[in-house]
Amino acid sequence: MRARHALLCFVSLGSLSFVGSASARLYEHLFASGFDIPVDAPGSDAEAARFLTQASFGPTPSEIARLRGIGYNEWIDQQLAARTTLVRPFVESVVAARTAAGQNVSQNHRVDRWFWIAAYADDQLRQRMAFALSEIFVISDQGSAISNNYIPMAEYADVLGHDAFKPYRTLLTDVTYNPSMGKFLSHFRNQKPGTTTQPDENYAREIMQLFSVGLVQLNMDASPVLQAGNPVATYDQTTITHTAKVFTGLTYSDAPTNPANFYGGAVTNAGTYNPMACWGTELFASTSSNMRHDLTGDDGTTATAKTVLGGLTIPAGQSCADDVSDELDIIAGHVNVAPFVSRQLIQRFVTSNPSPEYIERVATVFEDNGTPAHERGDLGSVLKAILLDPEARAAPVDASAGKLREPLLRITALWRAWGARAPAANAYGEVIMSAGISFLSSTGQKPLGAPTVFNFYEPDYQQPGPFADQDLYSPELQIHNETTAYTTGNVFYSYTRKAYVGMNLPPDNQTLPTDRPLLDLAPLVALVATPSAMVDLANARMMYGTMSPTMRSTLINMVQFMSGASPQEKAWSLIYLISLSPEFAAQR
């Protein structure tokens, strides 16, 4: 029996495309286990593909084989240890090259880099987590204050990548001090109260409502705490007013250390994206009346305490850094954070309607990761709990299980399923993935491009009709309408009919497109004589075997009746129709 295991592992290993350390790690793991199949290995390719649909930007044949060889826990552990694939250094180099050549620059360089990472980077789980976090801790290039900040926004993407598995408190700190977040939610250069002005309350409001605790007090299963049958508010306007005073005095980290230059620009390019600094005693010696942080009261002389979340108090007269640190400790330590954040992460990875028990199990890990250190808010442990929970791994039986795939995740899954070949880098070093598509208007989504701080859709959205009637949540359906159904179809047409290796070109275009990945149709073309085998392969690659008998029969008939079509046309047509289908759109 052991010999058979060794042979299976050898064959699987030989079929993979590993580079460097990833191959070495797997080889060591196989030897360490004596070539035994791990006890937590998926029982089938379909189970492996379902897990990878949840945990990555889409399954690939090689990653399915690797997961089956090492098991769920080892796969996650390797991903938790994977180095972050960066956005900002790449975008910096492209912007520098284009600027030197007198060419225009735009947010498209950042978007193309995001798509490349999603399609080809090794740190899939980290990048999927960063994407999920970007839909909770939202900044957007639709905001005028940062619409032209290509490099700082790329750095924000890297912050989410670096912090994807770190403690929640660390993430909250880095988000708070990030200048792109500061500009988007108005606490950049926010000033203390004066005789005629008050601090901007935008960040004070959203850090509580959207990033941490929500509007009502929660039980560990995310159900509302009730008093006399009514939900209990988490905070009030007074809390917001006092919290806004905390987030005053923040500006560029390398701004000139002179109170008169509070509105001055950054000295270096790095100053535009490095964590902000507080204008207070940390930077220069001056009287408190000249400081931009609220060290003193509204009258500019009397030191006053700040009453913040949970009725807790931040002492009067502290430095900016101490005020912010105390505030973030208070927010991160609130009892709501574990269920509030856990539920949203479950929605992003597994299901729109997790059971209360599922939420509570994950929130419990959020409160204590189970290590000797009893770390709270360990996002890596939280994500592992989400993906390995029985409700995530069991085959779905309830009609409410699963979620609608986001349009961007449908695109990346398409590329990864069919081994899409990335375009070659152009003269400026950029790899163009976006095919000239305006993703926000076409699909309702764009990386770091939500219409508002409330994301593309809200976690509590209920589509009118059967969903709302059954009190079910359907966040992604908030951007699905008559228009996006049509325009998203056009996007998939651009990535199938107009994007495959060996495609027939019109007489006026003798070169393959260089602004999009090209699908490898060879596996389907090889089966063209057997339409049922073509459909079954597409079912396995794109839908982990969940295609309904009716859909399968319909697609087989379609391929059979395309008698005059080339093998390539049959292949891309099959992929295209599956990509448009409700069954592919539903992640079960």
Side-chain angles (χ1 to χ4, degrees), residues 111 162 215 322:
V111 173
H162 284 308
L215 296 174
D322 286 342

Side-chain angles (χ1 to χ4, degrees), residues 504-536:
N504 293 324
L505 300 169
D508 59 342
N509 182 5
Q510 295 301 314
T511 59
L512 292 172
T514 58
D515 62 352
R516 69 200 71 182
L518 301 181
L519 304 182
D520 180 7
L521 302 183
L524 284 174
V525 169
L527 301 172
V528 71
T530 312
S532 61
M534 288 183 72
V535 174
D536 288 342

Side-chain angles (χ1 to χ4, degrees), residues 104-153:
N104 292 332
V105 293
S106 72
Q107 293 284 357
N108 290 339
H109 313 312
R110 176 184 57 78
V111 173
D112 281 325
R113 180 61 172 172
W114 183 90
F115 275 120
W116 186 93
I117 289 173
Y120 304 112
D122 291 331
D123 55 334
Q124 284 285 300
L125 185 61
R126 181 182 295 277
Q127 297 297 336
R128 273 287 283 113
M129 182 64 151
F131 180 57
L133 293 173
S134 77
E135 297 186 334
I136 300 174
F137 300 86
V138 174
I139 69 168
S140 172
D141 62 12
Q142 301 305 295
S144 58
I146 59 174
S147 59
N148 293 322
N149 292 21
Y150 329 116
I151 294 171
M153 286 194 67

Side-chain angles (χ1 to χ4, degrees), residues 207-278:
I207 192 175
M208 293 187 290
Q209 179 179 347
L210 302 178
F211 301 172
S212 60
V213 299
L215 296 174
V216 299
Q217 294 185 28
L218 301 174
N219 296 304
M220 282 289 281
D221 63 1
S223 62
V225 173
L226 302 177
Q227 287 185 359
N230 298 313
V232 180
T234 315
Y235 55 87
D236 57 18
Q237 180 57 43
T238 299
T239 306
I240 295 171
T241 300
H242 281 244
T243 302
K245 296 178 183 179
V246 173
F247 299 116
T248 53
L250 294 165
T251 189
Y252 289 126
S253 61
D254 64 347
T257 55
N258 185 318
N261 291 330
F262 181 70
Y263 286 102
V267 175
T268 65
N269 185 53
T272 65
Y273 59 73
N274 281 338
M276 294 184 290
C278 293

Side-chain angles (χ1 to χ4, degrees), residues 40 51 54 67 71-77 350 358 361-362 381-394:
D40 68 338
F51 172 85
Q54 296 169 344
L67 174 60
Y72 295 122
N73 276 279
E74 178 67 14
W75 187 90
I76 293 174
D77 288 346
V350 178
Y358 188 5
R361 287 191 295 269
V362 174
S381 294
V382 168
L383 183 52
K384 192 170 189 178
I386 289 171
L387 294 172
L388 297 184
D389 190 88
E391 200 163 319
R393 299 279 47 85

